[in-house]
Amino acid sequence: MTGFLASVVSLEEARLALQGGADLVDLKNPAEGALGALPLATVRHVVAELGGKRPFSATAGDLPMSPQVVRAAVETLAATGVDYVKIGFFPGGDWDGVLESLTGIARNGARLIAVLFADDGPAPEWIEPIARTGFAGVMLDTRDKRAGSLRDLLGEAELRAFLDRGRGSGLLRGLAGSLREADIAPLLALQPDYLGFRGALCAATKRTAALDIQALGNVRRRIHPLL
C-alpha cells in the first residue's frame, strides 16, 4: 500500500501532519530550495518530541555534489536520530565520489534516501549504484517548483520504468514534486511506496504557507480511502 508523506517545517506542523494521517513526516524547509534543510535544533526537537509515533525523514539541503560537503551534512543529520536522511543528487559535481563517501554511513545503519530530479531526466541508470552503496530508497522529485508537477515533466512510462528499476534493486521508492490531488489516482496505479506532498497541503496550495488540516485530510482520503 502506498504511504502518504507530508513535508513540515516545525514541531507544530509535524503534530498537524500526524493528526492529518501522514504515514511519513518529512522535515524540510521549502523556503531554502527543493530540499532545503531545517536547523538541526529543529530536527532534534521534533525527533525528541514525536519520534516513534511515525517514521520521520529530513532533508540534507540543496548541496553541491562534493563528497566532503555531502558526507559532513549527512553524518550530522543522521546523528539527530531521524529515521531517514534525504540527499538530493543535483546537476554537476562528483556523483560517484558522493556515493563512495556515503558507503560507510549507509552500511553502518543510517537509512539514506537518494532524491533524483525529473527536471534533469530521471537518471534511472544511477539506481543500481545507489542500491549498491547501501541506500534504503530512491525518490523522484522536481527541482524547479515553478515548472509544474512531476506528471507535467514525465509521462507514465518514464515513471513506471523508474519505479520498476527501484523495485528491482530492493529500494523504497517515492514520487513527489508539486503533486496535486488530481495526480494521486494516476500515481497510485503505479504503486510507489510513498507519494510526497507539500504545496497541496498548504493554504492556497503555496508550499511556503502553513499546513492546512482540511487539505491534509483531503489528500489522506485520496491515498487511503478506506481508512
Side-chain angles (χ1 to χ4, degrees), residues 3-78:
F4 167 26
L5 179 154
S7 291
V8 306
V9 303
S10 64
L11 177 61
E12 179 183 10
E13 285 199 349
R15 294 189 194 279
L16 198 65
L18 294 178
Q19 180 185 345
D23 300 300
L24 174 60
V25 180
D26 182 46
L27 304 171
K28 179 169 70 175
N29 185 358
E32 294 294 329
L35 294 180
L38 289 171
L40 288 171
T42 300
V43 177
R44 290 191 194 98
H45 187 42
V46 173
V47 171
E49 291 290 325
L50 301 176
K53 296 182 182 297
R54 293 284 195 285
F56 282 82
S57 62
T59 54
D62 287 16
L63 302 174
M65 290 290 93
S66 161
Q68 295 82 8
V69 171
V70 174
R71 180 185 174 90
V74 170
E75 283 183 325
T76 304
L77 191 53

Side-chain angles (χ1 to χ4, degrees), residues 6 30 45 64 71 80 82 121 132-133 142 176 209 215:
H45 187 42
R71 180 185 174 90
T80 65
V82 73
R132 288 195 296 270
T133 299
T142 59

Side-chain angles (χ1 to χ4, degrees), residues 122-148:
E125 69 275 10
W126 283 94
I127 290 177
E128 287 83 6
I130 286 166
R132 288 195 296 270
T133 299
F135 275 61
V138 64
M139 194 160 196
L140 193 56
D141 203 336
T142 59
R143 188 163 45 82
D144 182 357
K145 303 305 179 182
R146 301 165 298 180

Side-chain angles (χ1 to χ4, degrees), residues 129-196:
I130 286 166
R132 288 195 296 270
T133 299
F135 275 61
V138 64
M139 194 160 196
L140 193 56
D141 203 336
T142 59
R143 188 163 45 82
D144 182 357
K145 303 305 179 182
R146 301 165 298 180
S149 79
L150 180 67
R151 291 178 63 239
D152 293 325
L153 297 179
L154 296 178
E156 179 182 330
E158 291 172 292
L159 295 172
R160 187 181 298 278
F162 180 89
L163 293 171
D164 287 348
R165 201 155 180 174
R167 182 187 293 111
S169 293
L171 297 171
L172 287 172
R173 302 151 306 126
L175 300 176
S178 300
L179 299 185
R180 305 156 296 205
E181 287 188 38
D183 294 316
I184 295 174
L187 293 179
L188 285 177
L190 303 180
Q191 299 182 322
D193 294 301
Y194 286 98
L195 290 178

